[in-house]
Amino acid sequence: MRQLSKGNVAVIRGAILAGCQAYYGYPITPASEIAEAAALYLPQVGGTFLQAESEVAAINMVYGAASAGQRVMTASSGPGLSLMQEGISYLAGAELPCVIVDVVRGGPGLGNIAPEQSDYFAMVKGGGHGNYRNLVLAPASVQEMADFTVLAFELADRYRNPAVVLTDGFVGQMMEPLELELKTVEEPEKPWAVKGTPETRPNLVTSIFLEPDDLEAHQRKLEAKYKRAAQLEARYETYMAEDAEVLLVGYGIVSRVLRTAVEQARQQGLRVGLFRPITLWPFPSKALAEAGARCAALLDVELSNGQMLEDVRLAVNGKVPVEFYNRVGGNVPSAEEIHDELLSRLAALA
Amino acid sequence: MVENEESVLAEPEYELLHSRSEVFYDRFERKSELKHQTHYCPGCGHGIAHKLVAEALEDLGLQDRTIFVSPVGCSVFAYYYFDLGNVQVAHGRAPAAATGVKRACPDKIVIAYQGDGDLAAIGTAEIIHAANRGEHIAVFFVNNAIYGMTGGQMAPTTLVGQTSTTSPWGRRPVNEGFPLHMSELLATLEAPAYIERVALSDNKHIMGARRAVRRALELQREGAGFTFVEILSPCPTIWNMQPVEARRWVAEKMIATFPLNVFRDRKPTIPEGKNPPQRSVAEVLGLEEAGGKITLAAQAVARPQHHLKKLSIKIAGFGGQGVLLLGQLLAEMGMREGLEVSWLPSYGPEMRSGSAHCHVCLAQERIGSPLISHPDVLIAMNELSLRKFAPQVAEDGLIFYNREQLPDNFAAPQARVFCLPATEIADHLGAGKVANVVLLGALLEETECLASETAVAVLETKVRNPQLLELDRQALAAGRQFVDKEAHNDAISQSDGFAY
């Protein structure tokens, strides 16, 4: 039942399972295999693949296809996502569903092509202009690259909003067994779409509301939607967290390193657990606050300069000390490194 | 005194020969209290251009089939006038968005309506590439040589010497360059079907514009390809002219800079190329439906309880030595034997002339970090990799080194080292590139981590060339035999690291 697949390729396998009809993108390392897989597979199942002239064009092609009611996606890495931010704001403003995959590389600027988690602010907090949110999922394995792409399509349609699969170069490039199951695609009706038919002739896709009262009403509607998503869609995973004195917090590839670190710590009799946010927006604040309340300290580990750290601290709201450890530039800490760090922090706490 | 407006309009005292196009809404909703209100200034060309488009759509019977993409600029509110499916898009991106719409609705008419700042400045890339792809869309490009909505800044089409709020002394080519001739520029491309420049300077020219707009839409109906009409248009308010004077300026100044012409009118010959095969989702995903159950083709039977608990392998060498491929083979084998596996490569262009390495984890349990800091096994395909990674190998680990003996001045690690000249063995077989499979054979024979039958099964599905497959089989066998022989000779290196 299993097949060995690259994370980036698994994204497209998931997309095809989800009934994705179109992919518009621009190549960039370490995300290019997503475009390549889309080019190879989508046209074979009757879908559209087009390599755009830029990420700017790509995200606006996504906007056009989404306006017409298609399940559509794009993928890129940091620099490309920076260029797409304008379009993502328009998509959110016009309430258009789509899936955007960010295989994060080192930044800022051209940075490098090694894995980082430095696009957290850009994708989770917005990045484009205006009051909007992206739904953000953070896979940690090849299987989740496929599964979360499927979920992202469902969430995007459910909330008429861009959904982001935020991952990194390692998860994109690595290979693991992938198990897929054919399922019937249940795509919601999109009566708002513009399809060039008599029924859809009155429809208008737009993000412009020139009168302040109109725009305020539109934003209230978006806020209500985001509030609903925040209540229903927060996802997370814990590992040996029930009796943990120290809770490690990390997402994506880091959560796997932390899982190994937890195992090593437990072998030495240290009560260490893991909290792994799966959705970065909505952030699983409530669950983290509850899990954190039982602990003496939290250690947040990231491949960024402390971007998720703000959400972790907000979640526990000063009730538990939150320590921070990071590697950047494309370095990924080993489990041993985390373990050593943990011991030195514990010594300092004692 | 004032009668009911509806009743007055219901019974006109004159005979209507021409009335508002059906493609227009009755009311301009932004100022809904006034039935005949528009947001366009007196003498603005947009009103005429809109009318030409609306009438053509009505006459061609395309209203229910058309999707109108409106831009940023004065025509941002086009959707308040056109009773069509409307999509409003970001500044300059109408051709890209229209591409997405059209590809989603290939049998519909898609119109992108853009001004000069939108199309010829910020959206230059999008229009050129949409035209070059021959997207089946109609683009109406209203060129009035100025930014209207933002209040009169210089446009890419502003004439030399023309003043604007951002060229207060007149456009100076030395600073701002020359007016951009979009129609001529696009006419250098192979794909467009129709490109014409028209002007709204007087009734005669307006009738010419009417014909061009119709032609562009007729060609869309016929599926001819990319059609483009550049409409030179007056902007009396920003030009600070009376409407009549503005029309004259179009006729005298604009046409002199932007000559009217049909730059292209022919159905392009566009080769189809190779069409992708059409397959089912199950086929494309490598899933086969068998009796309602989905199984993987060529799937080996998984072993319920594998003898191997956990093994981490690091493979390193020069780019091109099959380092990454060897790792993939091991991962695939592990998976087929029912283990959890992960393969993590070093990646990137800088690796091609340097070192490449990958990490493979085989385990019964869910794999945590796929990144290995202390591998159980290192396969070093060159000296550089040996020197770099040997110190990382676990104390009770094993190193396979692709040479007959260890290099000089090599500080022996604690791990056991096994030297075998895999490249030479592979060369002897006839292809140096199967050295990685020789090493695989050695690894399997020495550690028995996975079955060599699985290796053969994986190679059979991965290697399509029968000659190469035979070479791989020989290489695998040669690697195993080498270990056998050496073991017999008791030649495996001792923990002091020296191979005998």
Side-chain angles (χ1 to χ4, degrees):
Chain A
M1 297 282 278
R2 304 185 301 169
Q3 47 191 319
L4 197 65
S5 176
K6 214 173 211 202
N8 281 341
V9 177
V11 165
I12 292 303
R13 290 176 184 271
I16 289 173
L17 273 185
C20 173
Q21 293 154 301
Y23 181 103
Y24 296 96
Y26 188 85
I28 184 169
T29 307
S32 294
E33 293 88 353
I34 304 181
E36 289 168 356
L40 181 63
Y41 296 125
L42 264 185
Q44 295 190 46
V45 291
T48 299
F49 168 83
L50 185 61
Q51 183 171 324
E53 59 269 27
S54 68
E55 288 89 348
V56 175
I59 196 72
N60 283 283
M61 290 169 181
V62 167
Y63 183 100
S67 299
Q70 280 197 321
R71 275 201 164 167
V72 56
M73 69 174 295
T74 187
S76 188
S77 184
L81 262 302
S82 293
L83 286 171
M84 289 186 185
Q85 290 287 19
E86 178 203 39
I88 298 172
S89 166
Y90 274 75
L91 283 152
E95 294 193 86
L96 291 174
C98 68
V99 171
I100 299 155
V101 183
D102 181 359
V103 186
V104 183
R105 53 186 259 173
L110 208 44
N112 65 21
I113 57 175
E116 263 193 5
Q117 296 181 322
S118 47
D119 289 1
Y120 186 93
F121 281 162
M123 303 319 297
V124 176
K125 301 295 177 184
H129 57 284
N131 292 319
Y132 75 95
R133 292 288 189 182
N134 293 322
L135 297 150
V136 184
L137 297 162
S141 66
V142 169
Q143 183 67 46
E144 287 182 348
M145 287 286 263
D147 293 347
F148 288 8
T149 300
V150 175
L151 178 60
F153 274 107
E154 288 168 2
L155 291 176
D157 278 343
R158 194 176 305 157
Y159 292 95
R160 282 187 62 184
N161 201 73
V164 175
V165 176
L166 185 68
T167 184
D168 65 79
F170 267 3
V171 182
Q173 293 295 323
M174 67 189 283
M175 289 180 100
E176 285 182 322
L178 173 65
E179 199 159 5
L180 299 172
E181 206 178 310
L182 275 186
K183 58 177 189 177
T184 319
V185 178
E186 281 178 33
E187 224 184 311
E189 293 279 308
K190 295 179 180 175
W192 48 265
V194 175
K195 295 179 173 178
T197 58
E199 305 76 48
T200 63
R201 200 178 91 196
N203 291 352
L204 166 67
V205 170
T206 188
S207 63
I208 184 171
F209 299 87
L210 217 54
E211 299 301 325
D213 286 349
D214 292 348
L215 185 55
E216 188 172 49
H218 177 61
Q219 290 200 25
R220 295 289 183 222
K221 188 179 150 203
L222 296 183
E223 278 171 26
K225 184 167 86 172
Y226 297 142
K227 202 173 163 189
R228 201 167 68 244
Q231 282 164 354
L232 297 175
E233 307 299 347
R235 288 165 166 81
Y236 63 96
E237 183 183 67
T238 58
Y239 181 57
M240 297 191 167
E242 294 73 23
D243 64 337
E245 281 175 4
V246 177
L247 195 60
L248 303 178
V249 185
Y251 71 95
I253 189 73
V254 170
S255 70
R256 295 182 57 160
V257 178
L258 297 185
R259 194 184 167 92
T260 303
V262 166
E263 281 165 3
Q264 289 175 356
R266 289 277 171 173
Q267 277 168 13
Q268 294 194 6
L270 297 170
R271 276 160 48 193
V272 177
L274 167 68
F275 186 93
R276 173 206 167 199
I278 288 174
T279 51
L280 301 178
W281 197 90
F283 192 76
S285 303
K286 197 165 161 252
L288 179 56
E290 282 166 12
R294 301 192 290 266
C295 303
L298 266 55
L299 175 59
D300 174 41
V301 182
E302 293 181 54
L303 308 181
S304 85
N305 56 348
Q307 299 189 15
M308 184 176 73
L309 180 61
E310 295 185 3
D311 285 331
V312 173
R313 289 204 164 128
L314 277 173
V316 299
N317 199 21
K319 288 175 185 147
V320 191
V322 179
E323 297 279 312
F324 178 61
Y325 183 71
N326 72 336
R327 293 299 301 269
V328 290
N331 285 316
V332 177
S334 65
E336 290 76 12
E337 193 177 334
I338 301 298
H339 188 67
D340 293 347
E341 196 59 35
L342 191 63
L343 291 181
S344 72
R345 304 278 170 127
L346 281 174
L349 281 172
Chain B
M1 182 68 195
V2 179
E3 284 184 272
N4 182 310
E5 198 191 20
E6 294 298 323
S7 68
V8 169
L9 291 169
E11 293 170 39
E13 291 170 11
Y14 46 85
E15 192 187 348
L16 271 175
L17 289 178
H18 299 285
S19 64
R20 184 199 300 272
S21 165
E22 287 293 316
V23 172
F24 281 138
Y25 288 115
D26 275 349
R27 269 173 207 281
F28 177 64
E29 266 193 44
R30 288 203 61 232
K31 312 276 184 196
S32 56
E33 69 276 13
L34 294 169
K35 191 175 166 79
H36 298 290
Q37 184 75 20
T38 158
H39 83 288
Y40 294 121
C41 306
C44 170
H46 277 301
I48 301 168
H50 280 23
K51 188 175 170 179
L52 299 181
V53 172
E55 288 179 353
L57 287 171
E58 184 182 351
D59 293 351
L60 296 170
L62 297 175
Q63 184 173 17
D64 279 336
R65 287 180 55 196
T66 298
I67 299 164
F68 192 98
V69 179
S70 52
V72 168
C74 281
S75 48
V76 66
F77 292 130
Y79 57 80
Y80 276 109
Y81 302 102
F82 288 99
D83 182 0
L84 300 166
N86 277 289
V87 179
Q88 200 287 319
V89 301
H91 196 24
R93 318 299 174 214
T99 296
V101 172
K102 180 69 185 192
R103 302 246 177 161
C105 310
D107 58 340
K108 306 301 178 187
I109 306 294
V110 179
I111 295 172
Y113 186 105
Q114 298 184 264
D116 43 48
D118 198 76
L119 182 140
I122 197 167
T124 317
E126 283 78 7
I127 190 63
I128 287 177
H129 285 274
N132 192 49
R133 289 190 301 267
E135 292 296 339
H136 289 223
I137 59 173
V139 178
F140 297 115
F141 168 40
V142 177
N143 175 3
N144 57 17
I146 202 81
Y147 281 69
M149 180 162 257
T150 47
Q153 296 80 19
M154 194 194 75
T157 50
T158 293
L159 306 190
V160 173
Q162 183 186 343
T163 56
S164 73
T165 58
T166 50
S167 57
W169 297 282
R171 182 178 191 155
R172 295 180 304 148
V174 69
N175 196 49
E176 291 105 12
F178 292 92
L180 207 49
H181 291 66
M182 289 308 297
S183 292
E184 287 86 342
L185 207 154
L186 297 181
T188 63
L189 304 174
E190 191 65 30
Y194 177 65
I195 301 171
E196 180 167 359
R197 183 185 288 125
V198 296
L200 304 179
S201 52
D202 51 66
N203 286 354
K204 187 183 153 203
H205 281 104
I206 290 170
M207 291 314 282
R210 181 176 184 270
R211 187 193 38 73
V213 167
R214 268 159 206 269
R215 178 86 182 127
L217 291 172
E218 270 166 8
L219 288 169
Q220 288 307 317
R221 191 175 57 177
E222 291 166 20
F226 180 82
T227 60
F228 183 87
V229 181
E230 177 173 350
I231 304 168
L232 304 182
S233 177
C235 180
T237 301
I238 301 290
W239 294 352
N240 196 21
M241 293 178 194
Q242 291 299 315
V244 174
E245 195 187 353
R247 280 193 173 197
R248 198 177 303 131
W249 200 80
V250 172
E252 289 172 6
K253 303 289 184 188
M254 287 196 75
I255 292 177
T257 298
F258 299 109
L260 305 187
N261 197 4
V262 179
F263 297 94
R264 174 73 54 82
D265 191 359
R266 56 121 175 86
K267 192 167 163 50
T269 311
I270 297 177
E272 276 244 346
K274 192 175 167 186
N275 279 318
Q278 293 303 297
R279 299 196 291 159
S280 73
V281 167
E283 276 179 293
V284 164
L285 294 178
L287 307 166
E288 277 182 4
E289 284 182 85
K293 220 179 153 201
I294 300 144
T295 55
L296 240 187
Q299 176 71 60
V301 180
R303 300 175 184 188
Q305 186 64 46
H306 203 279
H307 67 278
L308 185 70
K309 197 161 180 289
K310 202 175 173 186
L311 190 72
S312 60
I313 305 162
K314 185 162 190 158
I315 307 162
F318 289 124
Q321 281 188 310
V323 167
L324 302 185
L325 186 67
L326 175 53
Q328 287 180 9
L329 285 174
L330 281 164
E332 178 86 31
M333 287 168 61
M335 186 187 71
R336 291 200 186 191
E337 292 193 12
L339 291 166
E340 294 300 325
V341 300
S342 69
W343 172 85
L344 181 72
S346 59
Y347 61 90
E350 77 276 18
M351 296 301 174
R352 279 175 198 154
S353 56
S355 290
H357 68 260
C358 65
H359 296 174
V360 177
C361 293
L362 308 169
Q364 284 181 17
E365 306 288 324
R366 171 174 166 174
I367 293 165
S369 174
L371 187 71
I372 308 165
S373 34
H374 300 296
D376 299 318
V377 175
L378 169 68
I379 298 177
M381 295 194 67
N382 63 14
E383 188 182 330
L384 197 73
S385 303
L386 178 76
R387 289 188 184 276
K388 193 171 173 186
F389 298 123
Q392 297 177 359
V393 180
E395 281 180 21
D396 55 349
L398 183 59
I399 298 171
F400 290 87
Y401 178 49
N402 178 23
R403 281 284 188 288
E404 240 171 318
Q405 60 188 42
L406 287 170
D408 296 336
N409 310 320
F410 178 70
Q414 285 182 299
R416 216 151 50 97
V417 183
F418 196 102
C419 293
L420 79 161
T423 302
E424 285 166 38
I425 294 170
D427 278 337
H428 188 71
L429 291 170
K433 66 178 174 181
V434 295
N436 57 351
V437 182
V438 174
L439 283 158
L440 174 63
L443 171 76
L444 299 181
E445 187 65 20
E446 179 59 24
T447 68
E448 296 180 336
C449 58
L450 301 165
S452 59
E453 295 80 22
T454 316
V456 174
V458 170
L459 285 167
E460 277 171 355
T461 54
K462 299 286 172 194
V463 184
R464 303 245 184 261
N465 180 332
Q467 280 176 314
L468 191 57
L469 180 62
E470 185 48 37
L471 263 176
D472 279 328
R473 278 181 215 259
Q474 289 172 11
L476 191 71
R480 295 180 63 198
Q481 278 161 16
F482 190 90
V483 170
D484 253 1
K485 203 172 80 194
E486 297 291 298
H488 192 252
N489 294 344
D490 194 28
I492 293 176
S493 70
Q494 303 304 304
S495 59
D496 62 4
F498 289 96
Y500 300 98

